[in-house]
Amino acid sequence: MNLTPVQPGAPFQVTLGDLVQDLGGELLGPPGLLISRIAPLDAADPGCISFLANPKYRAQLQTTQAGCVIVSPAVRDEASARGAAIIADDPYLYFARLSQWWAQRVRPRAAPAIHPSAVVHPTAALGRDVDIGPLAVIEEGAEIGDGVVIGPHTVVGAHARIGAGTRLSARVTIGFDCVIGERCILHSGVVIGADGFGFAPVQGRWEKIEQLGTVRIGNDVELGANTCVDRGALGDTILEDGVKLDNLVQIAHNVRVGAHTAMAGCVGVAGSTVFGKHCTVGGGGMVLGHLTLADHVHVSAGTLISRSIHKPGQYTGIFPSDDNASWEKNAATLRQLHSLRERLRALERKSP
C-alpha cells in the first residue's frame, strides 16, 4: 500500500484506479477519475466518494452527486447506471478501510521525539520510536513499547506497561501497575486504574476498601473520551482483545469484558460483572453488578440489565416516553400488575 503522505495544508486527491489497486473491489467507471473527499450520499459532490451500506438509504443512490459510490453486488446495475461505482462484498467494511487509508495520508505523524518539557523517570524503559508530548509524565519503572505515542499532559503511572503501537491522546491517565496491550487507542480524558467504588458501612459512615488489583487491557482496544476503567478490589479489571468503548463509559472494579465486545456512549457497568465475547450495549444502557452475560448478548439503548443472561440474543427493557399525564397513568397501572394478575388467576380458578 502506498503511504506517501500529503503535505500539510495541501489538497489531497486520488484516482479511483489507485484506490482499487490498494483496497481491492471491482471498479465500474474511469480509473482516472479524481476523488478529493469522502462524504455521505446526501452531502456528496462530484469530487466525493460515498458508500451505500444500509438499504434504507437506497433511494439516495439516485439523487446523490457523488463521483463514485461503494455498493454491494446487489445494487451493481443500479449504481453503474448513475456513474462510477466500486463493487464490494461488504461496503461498510470497505468504507472503514478506506477511512484508514485516507487518514494515513492526510494525518501524517511527525518524527517521534521526547518533548523537552516531558518528565520521564530514569528507570522507565522506552522502546524504539516512542513519541512523548509536552508536559507528559512517565513514572518510575514504566515500560513503553515500540512506536507508542503519548499525548500532552498524559500520565503513565509507576510500573505501568504500554504495548507497542498504542496511542494515548492528550490528558490520558494510566494508573500504577496497569497494563495496556498493543495497537490500542485511548482518547482524551480516559482514566485507567482509578480506585473502584468500594466502601464498608460502619456506624453511619463509610470505611474505604483499598483497591488492591489493577487493570489489564488486551490488544486492539479503543476507548472513547472520558471513559473510565476502575482497578480491581482484589483481582483485576479486564478488557479482552478488540473491545471498543465509546465516550463516557464507566467500567467498575473487577468487571471482565469479553473479546470484541462494544459499548456505546454513557453505558455503565457495575462491579464484578462478566461479559462474554462479541456482546454489544446501546447508548445509556446499564448493567448491574455480579451478573454474567453470555457471548453474543446485545442490549438495546437505555436498557437496564438486572439479571444474568445465559442465552445469546437481543434484550430490551425500555419504557417509552409519552406526555406526562399519560405516562403517570401508565406507570400507576404497571404498579398494579401483580394484584391484577392474582385477581385474574383467582377468576380462572373459579371458572368451570
Side-chain angles (χ1 to χ4, degrees):
M1 186 177 288
N2 177 13
L3 294 179
T4 303
V6 65
Q7 293 299 314
F12 179 57
Q13 290 186 316
V14 62
T15 67
L16 291 179
D18 286 341
L19 280 181
V20 171
Q21 181 180 352
D22 281 356
L23 298 175
E26 180 188 359
L27 175 60
L28 304 178
L33 181 65
L34 285 170
I35 296 296
S36 58
R37 191 163 64 94
I38 307 171
L41 289 167
D42 60 352
D45 59 44
C48 296
I49 186 170
S50 190
F51 68 98
L52 175 63
N54 191 326
K56 74 178 184 178
Y57 298 118
R58 187 166 179 169
Q60 294 184 12
L61 189 59
Q62 302 306 319
T63 59
T64 183
Q65 299 299 307
C68 180
V69 179
I70 304 160
V71 298
S72 69
V75 291
R76 173 195 182 98
D77 294 341
E78 191 176 342
S80 62
R82 62 152 299 278
I86 295 174
I87 312 302
D89 291 337
D90 186 337
Y92 200 57
L93 177 60
Y94 196 102
F95 159 68
R97 290 174 176 165
L98 171 62
S99 71
Q100 297 170 17
W101 185 96
W102 206 277
Q104 287 176 310
R105 288 154 179 77
V106 301
R107 299 177 184 171
R109 276 181 54 185
I114 299 176
H115 195 274
S117 66
V119 178
V120 180
H121 195 278
T123 63
L126 305 185
R128 300 186 306 274
D129 299 325
V130 169
D131 187 60
I132 303 178
L135 301 173
V137 176
I138 314 298
E139 295 185 348
E140 177 184 3
E143 298 179 18
I144 312 299
D146 296 345
V148 168
V149 176
I150 297 175
H153 295 271
T154 285
V155 176
V156 178
H159 305 288
R161 287 180 284 156
I162 312 296
T166 285
R167 186 172 80 238
L168 310 182
S169 298
R171 294 180 292 103
V172 170
T173 300
I174 308 297
F176 65 91
D177 288 338
C178 293
V179 179
I180 313 297
E182 298 180 356
R183 301 176 301 278
C184 295
I185 301 173
L186 277 60
H187 292 278
S188 293
V190 164
V191 177
I192 304 297
D195 277 358
F197 192 67
F199 300 90
V202 53
Q203 299 177 352
R205 61 184 180 83
W206 299 101
E207 189 78 15
K208 182 176 178 61
I209 299 171
E210 290 294 340
Q211 305 294 289
L212 303 178
T214 186
V215 176
R216 291 189 285 125
I217 294 178
N219 300 327
D220 303 300
V221 170
E222 183 162 353
L223 307 183
N226 295 317
T227 280
C228 296
V229 182
D230 292 344
R231 67 177 56 248
L234 296 176
D236 297 336
T237 304
I238 298 172
L239 306 185
E240 295 182 0
D241 292 350
V243 166
K244 312 296 183 187
L245 305 184
D246 197 1
N247 300 339
L248 296 164
V249 172
Q250 162 64 17
I251 303 295
H253 57 187
N254 297 107
V255 168
R256 185 179 188 117
V257 181
H260 308 291
T261 286
M263 302 182 190
C266 299
V267 165
V269 181
S272 299
T273 282
V274 177
F275 278 82
K277 296 176 172 58
H278 303 283
C279 295
T280 60
V281 184
M286 294 288 159
V287 183
L288 299 188
H290 301 273
L291 304 181
T292 299
L293 280 68
D295 295 348
H296 298 283
V297 166
H298 305 291
V299 178
S300 297
T303 293
L304 172 66
I305 300 298
S306 57
R307 296 180 180 179
S308 291
I309 299 175
H310 301 296
K311 294 182 179 180
Q314 183 82 33
Y315 293 83
T316 305
I318 301 169
F319 198 96
S321 63
D322 204 343
D323 66 87
N324 190 67
S326 297
W327 189 92
E328 287 181 345
K329 290 177 183 178
N330 291 330
T333 302
L334 283 174
R335 286 198 296 269
Q336 300 174 45
L337 279 179
H338 180 75
S339 61
L340 290 171
R341 183 188 66 175
E342 295 305 311
R343 288 168 59 187
L344 179 60
R345 284 180 172 176
L347 289 171
E348 288 175 337
R349 285 194 293 268
K350 290 179 181 179
S351 64

